[in-house]
Amino acid sequence: MTVYGSFPGARPRRLRTSPAMRRMVAETRLHPADLILPAFVREGIDEPLAISAMPGVVQHSLDTLRKAAVEAVGAGVSGIMLFGVPEDAKKDALGTAGTDPEGILQVAIRAVREEVGDDLVIMSDLCLDEYTDHGHCGVLDAAGRVDNDATLERYAEMAQVQADAGAHVLGASGMMDGQVGVARDALDTIGKEDVSVLAYAVKYSSAFYGPFREAVGSSLTGDRKTYQQDPANVRESMRELALDLEEGADMVMVKPAGPYLDVLAKVAAEVAVPVAAYQISGEYAMIEAAAEKGWIDRDKAIMESLTGIKRAGAQLILTYWATEVARAL
C-alpha cells in the first residue's frame, strides 16, 4: 500500500532530470556583465610576452592591449582592470613612474579609453608596488617599514593622474589605512567626482599571489604581512569593510576569491554597494596546471569555480578567463 506524502514521495532528483530542467531551476547564473578582465601592459615591448606561471595570459604591448579591450567589449565583459609594468630602470624608492602622466599605466589608460570609450569600464590599479624598486605597496621609512601616511600622499597623486588619463574606476588595492578617503578627496579636488573608487576592503596576505609577481615584474623583498590581512581573521575584515564604506567606497572587493568564500558571503550580506571578488593568479594557475596534466576538465572547473564565487555573493568577478567565459556564456 502506498502512503502518499512520505518518502519516497519527496524526490528532489525530479528537478535534475535534464539539462533544460537544471537550467530552468538554477539558483545562480553567471552573465558576461558579471566579469572584469585583469590585464597587464608592459613598457617598451612591441609583442606580447607570455607569463610562464599563467598559461594563456600575457604582458601586453599597447597594441595588443587595445585589441584585448575590443575583444572584451565584443564578448560582453563589463570592465578591464589595468596593471602597468614599467621598465626596471624607472623603478625607484618612491614609485615615481606611478605618478608620471607619461608612465605606462597612464599611457595604457588613455590608449584603452581612445579605443573603446565608455563601452568598457576602465579600472586602474591604485598601488605603488609595480613601480618601487623594493616592491612594496608604499613608501618606506628609515627603518625599512612601509610608512602609511607618506604612502597616502603618493596615492593621492596617483589617483589624480589615473583619473586625468581617463580611468572610470580606481582600484584602491594597497591596504593602507585611510586610502579610500584620500583617493576620494584627491578626485573631488580636481573635479573628478564621477570617478568611482573600488576599495580592496578585504585583501589577504596570500600564498596564491605567486604568479602575479611574475606578471608585474615584482621587485619585492620580504613580505606584505604588516599591511595585508592575516588569513586567519574575519572580524578584522569586517572592520576594514566598515572603514572603507565610511570613507566613501563606491564598491568593495574581497581578494583572493576562492579560498575566502566564507568572507565573501559575509561581506555580501552586510553591504548595500556592489561587491567584487578577484579570482587571483594562483587560483587561475592551479586550474590550468591541473588541466594540463589531465587531472581535471578545464572548462568545467573554470565554470564551477566562477559559479561558486557568484553563489557566495559576488556581483562582479575579476578573472583572467573573463573574455573566454563571456563568449561561452
Side-chain angles (χ1 to χ4, degrees), residues 281-300:
S281 59
E283 298 175 71
Y284 175 95
M286 287 192 300
I287 290 177
E288 289 287 351
E292 185 180 351
K293 290 283 189 180
W295 295 338
I296 60 173
D297 183 308
R298 175 185 181 274
D299 293 349
K300 290 179 180 178

Side-chain angles (χ1 to χ4, degrees), residues 122-252:
I122 301 168
M123 303 178 170
S124 54
D125 183 47
L126 183 62
C127 194
L128 285 171
D129 61 316
E130 296 99 322
Y131 311 101
T132 55
D133 54 12
H134 46 74
H136 280 285
C137 298
V139 178
L140 303 185
D141 63 17
R145 299 168 299 194
V146 175
D147 186 325
N148 191 94
D149 295 0
T151 299
L152 293 182
E153 295 180 17
R154 302 288 294 125
Y155 285 1
E157 295 178 56
M158 291 187 80
Q160 292 177 341
V161 297
Q162 290 178 10
D164 282 339
H168 297 103
V169 177
L170 306 187
S173 65
M175 289 302 290
M176 296 297 121
D177 295 338
Q179 64 183 12
V180 172
V182 164
R184 183 72 270 155
D185 288 346
L187 292 170
D188 294 350
T189 297
I190 61 170
K192 296 291 184 179
E193 295 90 351
D194 289 341
V195 175
S196 302
V197 177
L198 167 60
Y200 285 54
V202 183
K203 183 178 181 181
Y204 286 96
S205 178
S206 173
F208 293 97
Y209 295 136
F212 183 88
R213 306 276 163 79
E214 177 190 348
V216 296
S218 175
S219 302
L220 181 65
T221 54
D223 59 47
R224 296 175 176 149
K225 292 182 179 180
T226 62
Y227 47 101
Q228 293 179 352
Q229 288 181 229
D230 185 339
N233 294 348
V234 178
R235 287 195 300 271
E236 180 185 22
S237 301
M238 305 313 291
R239 184 183 184 198
E240 292 274 8
L241 174 68
L243 289 168
D244 283 350
L245 291 170
E246 184 179 329
E247 291 172 27
D250 301 289
M251 297 174 275
V252 295

